[in-house]
C-alpha cells in the first residue's frame, strides 16, 4: 500500500540553526501539507501546497518557515532559525484531490524535531 | 479561531463494550468531518469521514453527524484493547484544504 514517508525520524538541532524536514508524498497525489504537534497538544495545520504554490497557510507559518517541492518526489519544510518552541512532531500529509469534502489526507510517520 | 472541541478523557470502557466519543465544532459552515486514531508517538490514522447528516457505518465503527447541533460522534462497537488510543476529530476548514483538529479523546479499553 502506498504511504507517505518522512526523513529523518528524529532531528536534534541547536537554537538558531536551520533545519530541513523531508517528505515523499504518495506518488500520484497532488496536494501536500505540513502539520505539527507539540507534545501533549493538538495537531496544528501549518501549510498546504499545490501546483508549486502555497494554497493556504496558518498563523504559525511565518517568515521563518518555507516549503518547496525541489523535484518530482520530495516535499520539504525549512525552518530558517529554529527556536525552542519549534520543538514538536512534524507531520507531512498528502491527498489526491485536495478539496477535501471526501478526500483523505494520508499522514507520514512524522519527524520529531528537538531544539536545544 | 474556529474551534473543534473534544472531551480529553480518559474514557475507560471494558472489552466488548461500546465506546462513544463526541465532538462539537463552532464553524456552522463546516462540511466534512473526519475521525482519526493516534497511538502514542505515532501519526494520525484515518478511521472514517462523514459529510451528510445521520449515521455512517464502517465495520465496528459508526460516525454520526448532526449539523444543526454542530455535533459529530464516533461509536466503536465490541471495543478491543487494541482500540486503546487517542481519537481525533477533525473538520475541513472553509477553504477546503486544512484539517482543524480537536485535542483528542483518550480511550482505554480494559480486558
Amino acid at each position: 500500500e502506498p504511504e507517505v514517508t518522512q526523513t529523518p525520524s528524529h532531528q536534534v538541532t541547536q537554537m538558531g540553526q536551520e533545519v530541513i524536514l523531508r517528505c515523499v508524498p504518495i506518488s500520484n497525489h497532488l496536494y501536500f501539507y505540513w502539520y505539527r504537534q507539540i507534545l501533549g497538544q493538538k495537531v496544528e495545520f501549518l501549510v498546504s501546497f499545490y501546483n508549486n504554490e502555497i494554497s493556504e497557510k496558518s498563523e504559525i507559518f511565518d517568515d521563518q518557515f518555507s516549503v518547496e517541492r525541489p523535484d518530482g518526489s520530495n516535499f520539504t519544510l525549512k525552518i530558517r532559525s529554529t527556536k525552542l518552541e519549534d520543538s514538536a512532531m512534524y507531520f507531512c500529509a498528502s491527498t489526491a484531490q485536495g478539496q477535501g469534502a471526501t478526500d483523505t489526507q494520508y499522514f507520514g510517520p512524522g519527524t520529531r524535531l528537538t531544539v536545544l | 479561531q474556529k474551534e473543534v472541541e473534544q472531551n480529553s478523557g480518559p474514557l475507560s470502557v471494558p472489552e466488548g463494550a461500546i465506546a462513544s466519543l463526541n465532538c462539537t465544532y463552532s464553524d456552522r459552515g463546516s462540511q466534512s468531518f473526519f475521525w482519526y486514531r493516534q497511538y502514542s508517538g505515532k501519526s494520525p490514522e484515518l478511521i472514517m469521514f462523514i459529510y451528510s447528516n445521520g449515521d455512517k457505518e464502517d465495520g465496528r465503527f459508526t460516525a454520526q453527524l448532526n449539523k444543526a447541533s454542530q455535533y459529530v460522534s464516533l461509536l466503536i462497537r465490541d471495543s478491543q484493547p487494541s482500540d486503546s488510543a487517542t481519537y481525533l476529530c477533525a473538520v475541513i476548514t472553509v477553504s477546503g484544504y486544512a484539517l482543524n483538529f480537536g485535542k483528542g479523546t483518550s480511550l482505554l479499553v480494559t480486558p
Side-chain angles (χ1 to χ4, degrees), chain A residues 36-86:
Chain A
R36 80 171 186 191
Q37 187 174 31
I38 295 170
L39 188 63
Q41 298 188 23
K42 69 175 185 176
V43 177
E44 298 175 292
F45 169 75
L46 293 178
V47 66
S48 62
F49 190 85
Y50 168 70
N51 198 26
N52 283 319
E53 288 184 346
I54 291 174
S55 45
E56 186 180 358
K57 62 181 181 179
S58 72
E59 291 177 354
I60 302 169
F61 194 87
D62 61 21
D63 292 344
Q64 291 298 312
F65 292 90
S66 62
V67 290
E68 190 179 28
R69 187 149 164 88
D71 53 42
S73 59
N74 289 284
F75 179 51
T76 62
L77 174 69
K78 182 192 291 186
I79 308 175
R80 256 180 277 283
S81 178
T82 50
K83 306 182 185 71
L84 295 176
E85 54 264 36
D86 293 327

Side-chain angles (χ1 to χ4, degrees), chain B residues 32-102:
Chain B
S32 306
F33 309 88
F34 299 77
W35 283 100
Y36 282 83
R37 177 173 60 195
Q38 187 177 32
Y39 293 108
S40 181
K42 302 295 185 182
S43 61
E45 173 193 7
L46 182 76
I47 299 172
M48 62 192 303
F49 62 83
I50 187 168
Y51 54 93
S52 297
N53 275 327
D55 294 0
K56 179 181 179 183
E57 187 174 317
D58 184 359
R60 296 188 296 114
F61 299 95
T62 298
Q64 299 174 316
L65 174 60
N66 183 326
K67 289 186 179 179
S69 301
Q70 296 176 239
Y71 177 91
V72 194
S73 65
L74 180 70
L75 301 178
I76 307 174
R77 287 182 299 281
D78 188 24
S79 296
Q80 301 297 309
S82 58
D83 294 326
S84 298
T86 297
Y87 289 79
L88 310 178
C89 174
V91 179
I92 284 282
T93 61
V94 172
S95 68
Y97 296 108
L99 283 170
N100 186 11
F101 283 88

